Amino acid sequence: MLNDENARDMQTDFFQAQQRSDDQERRFRQQVQDAQEQFSFVFKKEILQADDECEEMYKKRGEISWD
């Protein structure tokens, strides 16, 4: 009977540890996904800004007379 109680306790401890591990993994995956989305947003924003600056420079270049 004591062995049964110990086995149940060990099983419960293992189950709780597994749940904590699963929760940590889920939170980590969510953090990675959030970071990827933030990076993607900032990268796209920087690309658009660089494109705008490039277009502006081409306009200014076109306004210069090269005679």
Side-chain angles (χ1 to χ4, degrees), residues 6-64:
N6 285 342
R8 276 194 298 271
D9 288 345
M10 287 178 61
Q11 198 173 25
T12 299
D13 291 344
F14 175 78
F15 179 71
Q16 289 173 346
Q18 185 65 42
Q19 279 187 319
R20 283 191 299 272
S21 178
D22 291 347
D23 289 343
Q24 280 183 323
E25 181 180 356
R26 200 170 11 265
R27 284 193 303 270
F28 177 72
R29 287 182 185 275
Q30 185 62 47
Q31 288 176 337
V32 168
Q33 182 178 352
D34 291 347
Q36 286 175 328
E37 290 173 2
Q38 288 176 352
F39 177 80
S40 179
F41 174 77
V42 169
F43 186 75
K44 287 177 185 176
K45 182 179 165 189
E46 292 295 322
I47 291 292
L48 289 174
Q49 182 178 351
D51 287 346
D52 289 346
E53 289 173 0
C54 187
E55 185 177 329
E56 184 64 30
M57 290 175 72
Y58 277 122
K59 284 180 185 177
K60 287 181 180 180
R61 182 178 172 202
E63 293 171 358
I64 296 174

